């Protein structure tokens, strides 16, 4: 499947955004995938770069997942180090910002979902079904 | 920050799960980060491995993000190829399964969030605020 192709069915949307290391701009996925539940963004930040402002959210909690790079993350007055494998959940009212202090690009994913919206989760929300494999 | 350490504040939780390539089991993040909005899992599937069952969800939409590896993904009767950069949004009633056909591990993230829960999103849900940087 080539980058920017899209396949859609009744119950799904498939896209391909390519290698995350090749991202040239922040890529928001909700409209591309027709998600009704989450806005996910894929980002790459150059060595030494920082997000140019602090921000809060009105309704959405955010979860940041750092895939590559090292830096700092600040929420309100707390500043801490982050690196590959760091996962930061920030409540709507948390004032947040981050920067990349490493000499490689920082690659990270941000998941926005509406605070307090989750009811069941993990395997408890799933049901196993019988389907014939097509591969 | 070492793997499995946790830092918590009023508005956030920070954890570190380590290098995703070193995962030894599926890691669910909701309870670790105290998320109220999403269940995110981090997974590694060995070469040739497949998810051993198809499943649907009761309330949660899922978004799969493939970070490494190649394989197949099936929803209902549609089977398609996936690779690094593939993003698949599956509605609750979609019957889904996947396999890794590459000779390296498949590494992927799954985001569960409650279907139709998102209202505002992206920058429209954010507000810029003034905060003193601590770095």
């Amino acid at each position: 499947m080539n980058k920017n192709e899209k396949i859609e069915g009744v119950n799904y949307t498939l896209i391909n955004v390519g290698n995350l290391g090749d991202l040239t701009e922040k890529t928001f996925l909700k409209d591309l995938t027709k998600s009704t539940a989450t806005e996910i963004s894929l980002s790459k930040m150059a060595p030494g770069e920082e997000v140019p402002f602090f921000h809060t959210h009105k309704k959405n909690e955010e979860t940041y997942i750092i895939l590559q790079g090292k830096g700092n993350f600040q929420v309100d007055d707390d500043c801490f180090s982050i690196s590959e494998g760091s996962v930061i959940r920030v409540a709507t009212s948390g004032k947040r910002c981050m920067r990349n202090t490493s000499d490689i690009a920082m690659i990270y994913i941000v998941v926005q979902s509406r605070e307090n919206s989750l009811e069941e989760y993990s395997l408890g929300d799933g049901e196993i079904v019988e389907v014939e494999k097509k591969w």
Side-chain angles (χ1 to χ4, degrees), chain A:
Chain A
M1 183 176 191
N2 294 323
K3 190 176 170 183
N4 298 328
E5 261 190 277
K6 181 183 280 207
I7 298 175
E8 293 185 85
V10 176
N11 282 320
Y12 69 92
T13 303
L14 163 70
I15 62 169
N16 193 301
V17 297
N19 185 312
L20 300 195
D22 294 336
L23 284 175
T24 53
E25 55 185 15
K26 194 173 187 77
T27 301
F28 288 99
L29 300 179
K30 179 190 181 298
D31 290 339
L32 294 173
T33 64
K34 299 190 175 174
S35 171
T36 67
T38 188
E39 171 64 286
I40 301 170
S41 62
L42 311 173
S43 298
K44 189 170 80 167
M45 199 156 52
E49 191 181 348
E50 61 185 49
V51 175
F53 53 81
F54 281 71
H55 76 286
T56 58
H57 273 272
K58 299 173 192 164
K59 297 187 176 176
N60 296 340
E61 180 187 274
E62 284 188 323
T63 299
Y64 292 72
I65 303 170
I66 310 301
L67 299 178
Q68 178 182 290
K70 290 179 192 298
N72 298 110
F73 199 105
Q74 185 175 331
V75 181
D76 304 325
D77 288 332
D78 293 357
C79 182
F80 36 80
S81 297
I82 55 172
S83 57
E84 180 180 345
S86 293
V87 179
I88 311 102
R89 189 260 319 157
V90 189
T92 48
S93 57
K95 301 175 182 78
R96 72 212 71 179
C97 195
M98 61 193 290
R99 68 169 179 168
N100 177 15
T101 60
S102 62
D103 55 8
I104 55 171
M106 177 171 279
I107 298 175
Y108 62 102
I109 295 176
V110 187
V111 176
Q112 279 187 33
S113 303
R114 193 161 62 79
E115 202 161 63
N116 296 316
S117 65
L118 201 66
E119 298 176 356
E120 300 171 337
Y121 57 97
S122 305
L123 305 179
D125 190 61
E127 293 190 297
I128 293 176
V129 289
E130 293 290 330
V131 178
E132 185 187 344
K133 281 180 216 165
K134 299 292 181 182
W135 59 65

